[in-house]
Amino acid sequence: MTNTASSERYERRELLQPGAVETWSGLDRTLNRPVTIRRADADSEIGHRLRLQAKALARVEHHGLLHILDTYDEADHFAIVTEQLPTRLLVDELTAPNGDTRRLTAPESVRIVIAVTEALAVLHSAGFAHGGVDADYIGWRAEVGWVILNGPPTDDAVTIPATRRADLVSLAVLAHRLIVGAAPQRRPDGTWELDSVIPDVVAPVLARAMSASDPWPDVPSMLLALRSIVDDLPIADGVRTDRRSVWQAERHWLAPVGVLVAAAATLVGIALLIEQPADRSGDATPSVETTVPDPDAPTAVTVAPVATATIAPQTTPAIVPAPTTTQVRRVSILLESITDFDPAGDDRVEHPERLIFINNGDPTTGWSTARYSSRDFGGLKDGVGLIVVLAGDEPRPIERLAVDSPTVGWSFEVYASGERNRTLIDWGRPLAAAQDITGSTALDVPTTDAAAVLVWITNLGDELPSGGHRVTISRIEIDTTAAAEAPPSTDAVTP
């Protein structure tokens, strides 16, 4: 590709950036088009690196990377020719007209980071690391979108030595800067502290990218995680109180449930009124003055909680049963851990970073499967699941499983084992199954001693408002029964 005579073809015009690698605006006289020329001393170490990597990366093409158009030798310099640099920079988007720092919305920020991550994944696949991306060197080209303007393939690495680990960290820092308006803070121990403005669905992805102990294994893994959270991102500008959560986006099933609860409460109220004994005192004037409600006073409304059991008519017993000295009650079993289970696929796709949102006390968050094209996992697999390990050294008797989920029309099976198993066949036959679930459910299972329980999702349910199918789970509770001695009752009524 190198042409020693091609210096006559390219005209250097204005020095845009000085340094060991100079960046010039230029003109391709043959095609009469503006170009960018980057050049370095041919005999220097950086010049040798540029020549070697330009030869290796000349065939690498991605819309997020500047493409090498040509290379040539000019006197004692080696030069690389690329497309003209865009004039609109990402850093300009972070500056308000009055000069203040502004933030981008979470969806816009994540989409920009996804575009940059895609470009870095291509660069890594060619065997090169960038060294660290930043908003100051990312530009916008109308025909392709956001483009990385520095580093390989058209420039030397940003940091020496450039590492893929540094690229992962820089992606997380970039996302933080776009959403918050500033980079994350470094703690004295060297770890990073994320701002509270970062949405809950984004925070685990960034935290793992910056983790020193358990980072993403590679850029494609982080890319998959970023793509999976796009539809869960808040529409607001990062303020937590305005955040649109997964639960809120998929809670259309709450409306019919609310109507049913209200209707049930009304029927119970009518039944109680009918069963009230008739007044046999004749037409005597009441001794207590009747209070007339104030029409201008606010109306007090009592909301009946959603019950998992069927509401039965209330009747007055003819005989009050004698008190007992033993009470049987359900108690929740302490859970040691919850892990994702995807024997037919890649566990990283099923969002292990979001397992921390199960049982965190916030029903608006939760773990979710990957998004599939159909309720049967796009025909790719029979199911995915969660392995729940019970606390304690010995198996415990289990009798009931409760699951909170905003998903409509999904199904799952429950398996139990005395140990944690790795393949579905090792779990044996399912203890129970729940079909076509609308939201949360409580499932009684045959009493079984278990050290681990598998919640195996067999159907992803109805299509989401944003498209695709997936199951989200925010709470898992496993119950057993415990007998406790009760003190003799002093309120027994003798018929």
Side-chain angles (χ1 to χ4, degrees):
M1 177 184 294
T2 302
N3 183 352
T4 55
S6 62
S7 58
E8 300 177 359
R9 174 175 176 175
Y10 300 105
E11 174 188 341
R12 286 184 290 112
R13 289 189 167 179
E14 180 183 358
L15 180 61
L16 302 177
Q17 182 179 344
V21 178
E22 301 173 345
T23 301
W24 293 76
S25 64
L27 176 68
D28 181 345
R29 295 190 182 98
T30 302
L31 300 178
N32 192 29
R33 65 176 179 179
V35 294
T36 299
I37 300 173
R38 285 189 167 104
R39 69 174 199 158
D41 187 336
D43 294 330
S44 65
E45 179 184 353
I46 193 171
H48 286 296
R49 285 203 306 268
L50 278 180
R51 188 184 296 275
L52 291 174
Q53 71 184 30
K55 181 178 180 180
L57 293 173
R59 297 183 181 276
V60 174
E61 292 190 27
H62 185 272
H63 59 267
L65 298 170
L66 287 178
H67 181 53
I68 297 177
L69 300 177
D70 197 1
T71 63
Y72 66 93
D73 289 298
E74 178 187 17
D76 55 354
H77 286 78
F78 172 74
I80 298 175
V81 182
T82 71
E83 305 103 324
Q84 183 183 26
L85 295 180
T87 57
R88 176 186 170 189
L89 299 179
L90 180 56
V91 68
D92 298 333
E93 305 297 314
L94 301 178
T95 305
N98 61 359
D100 293 340
T101 299
R102 63 183 293 264
R103 302 179 302 178
L104 304 184
T105 64
E108 185 179 8
S109 300
V110 171
R111 288 187 175 92
I112 292 173
V113 175
I114 286 175
V116 176
T117 307
E118 289 175 344
L120 286 184
V122 172
L123 189 63
H124 285 194
S125 67
F128 287 81
H130 181 274
V133 293
D134 186 81
D136 294 339
Y137 295 100
I138 297 174
W140 173 264
R141 299 182 64 186
E143 63 273 22
V144 295
W146 295 105
V147 181
I148 300 174
L149 306 181
N150 66 337
T154 61
D155 197 351
D156 198 21
V158 174
T159 57
I160 302 296
T163 65
R164 301 184 182 191
R165 177 78 189 89
D167 287 352
L168 279 170
V169 174
S170 71
L171 288 169
V173 173
L174 174 64
H176 195 283
R177 183 180 179 186
L178 297 180
I179 298 174
V180 178
Q185 298 295 317
R186 294 294 294 267
R187 300 186 182 96
D189 62 358
T191 60
W192 297 86
E193 181 178 356
L194 297 179
D195 193 281
S196 59
V197 172
I198 299 294
D200 288 340
V201 295
V202 180
V205 180
L206 304 189
R208 187 172 182 185
M210 295 185 292
S211 171
S213 58
D214 184 31
W216 292 108
D218 48 39
V219 166
S221 298
M222 183 176 177
L223 179 59
L224 285 173
L226 289 169
R227 287 172 174 167
S228 71
I229 65 175
V230 169
D231 294 320
D232 300 336
L233 294 171
I235 298 178
D237 62 356
V239 180
R240 281 183 175 271
T241 53
D242 296 332
R243 191 167 67 242
R244 174 179 175 267
S245 66
V246 181
W247 185 277
Q248 292 167 325
E250 301 173 7
R251 65 178 182 178
H252 55 280
W253 59 273
L254 285 174
V257 171
V259 173
L260 291 176
V261 171
T266 303
L267 291 174
V268 171
I270 294 174
L272 291 175
L273 290 175
I274 293 176
E275 292 178 6
Q276 291 294 325
D279 187 0
R280 302 299 183 185
S281 60
D283 298 330
T285 304
S287 60
V288 180
E289 181 180 359
T290 302
T291 302
V292 179
D294 184 356
D296 296 328
T299 303
V301 180
T302 301
V303 180
V306 178
T308 57
T310 304
I311 299 177
Q314 297 184 8
T315 58
T316 303
I319 300 177
V320 177
T324 61
T325 58
T326 302
Q327 295 178 339
V328 178
R329 58 189 178 89
R330 278 200 175 101
V331 295
S332 297
I333 300 175
L334 183 64
L335 308 182
E336 179 180 303
S337 65
I338 302 177
T339 56
D340 57 315
F341 182 61
D342 184 17
D346 186 344
D347 286 343
R348 293 194 301 269
V349 178
E350 299 300 336
H351 305 310
E353 76 282 359
R354 298 174 66 171
L355 292 168
I356 60 174
F357 295 127
I358 300 178
N359 296 343
N360 69 343
D362 184 357
T364 65
T365 62
W367 170 87
S368 63
T369 67
R371 189 180 297 261
Y372 294 87
S373 60
S374 64
R375 60 171 59 237
D376 63 348
F377 302 90
L380 300 175
K381 57 188 71 172
D382 295 329
V384 298
L386 294 171
I387 297 176
V388 184
V389 178
L390 310 184
D393 298 330
E394 299 295 332
R396 301 280 304 277
I398 61 170
E399 296 185 355
R400 184 173 179 266
L401 173 75
V403 178
D404 284 353
S405 170
T407 307
V408 178
W410 67 293
S411 304
F412 70 91
E413 297 173 342
V414 180
Y415 295 78
S417 172
E419 59 182 354
R420 178 176 176 176
N421 296 291
R422 296 185 178 275
T423 61
L424 186 60
I425 194 172
D426 291 335
W427 288 88
R429 299 177 62 85
L431 297 178
Q435 305 290 331
D436 195 23
I437 305 165
T438 299
S440 305
T441 188
L443 184 65
D444 291 326
V445 299
T447 303
T448 306
D449 289 344
V453 172
L454 170 63
V455 179
W456 181 248
I457 301 168
T458 57
N459 190 306
L460 295 171
D462 295 352
E463 185 174 6
L464 302 174
S466 56
H469 300 257
R470 70 168 173 210
V471 170
T472 298
I473 294 177
S474 60
R475 182 181 71 97
I476 295 178
E477 182 179 296
I478 299 175
D479 296 340
T480 187
T481 57
E485 293 297 324
S489 174
T490 60
D491 298 328
V493 178
T494 303

